[in-house]
Amino acid sequence: LIMLDNGIRIIYQKIDRLPLISFKLASLGGLKYEDNKNGLANLMSKVWLRGSKNYFYKEIENRFEFFSGFIDT
């Protein structure tokens, strides 16, 4: 476990016998952390899956899939 100055926690496991890289990005969310903004985490997960100003979701997904990755919420 590594704790960055900004509070982000990084948990990792190195396995030398496999030539792979895998990572997950997670954040604290849901009603417990929303402070009178009920549904914000759910809304943001849906927005994330719609793409961005510059890229349609399918373009982002294709870039991840090129490297055998995927996006999920």
Side-chain angles (χ1 to χ4, degrees):
L1 174 69
I2 298 172
M3 180 72 79
L4 302 180
D5 291 339
N6 61 4
I8 293 176
R9 293 173 280 183
I10 299 174
I11 302 170
Y12 70 95
Q13 179 181 11
K14 185 176 180 181
I15 303 173
D16 291 324
R17 68 181 189 278
L18 300 174
L20 302 171
I21 296 173
S22 176
F23 72 92
K24 292 183 180 183
L25 175 65
S27 65
L28 299 176
L31 291 176
K32 182 176 179 181
Y33 300 98
E34 288 188 349
D35 252 0
N36 297 322
K37 298 175 187 139
N38 293 346
L40 185 61
N42 184 44
L43 173 65
M44 292 311 296
S45 70
K46 291 181 187 303
V47 169
W48 169 250
L49 293 176
R50 290 183 185 213
S52 71
K53 177 180 174 184
N54 298 318
Y55 298 98
F56 290 111
Y57 169 72
K58 199 63 178 168
E59 292 175 273
I60 297 170
E61 183 180 51
N62 288 342
R63 289 173 187 242
F64 274 88
E65 285 181 355
F66 180 79
F67 295 103
S68 300
F70 66 94
I71 301 173
D72 193 12
T73 60

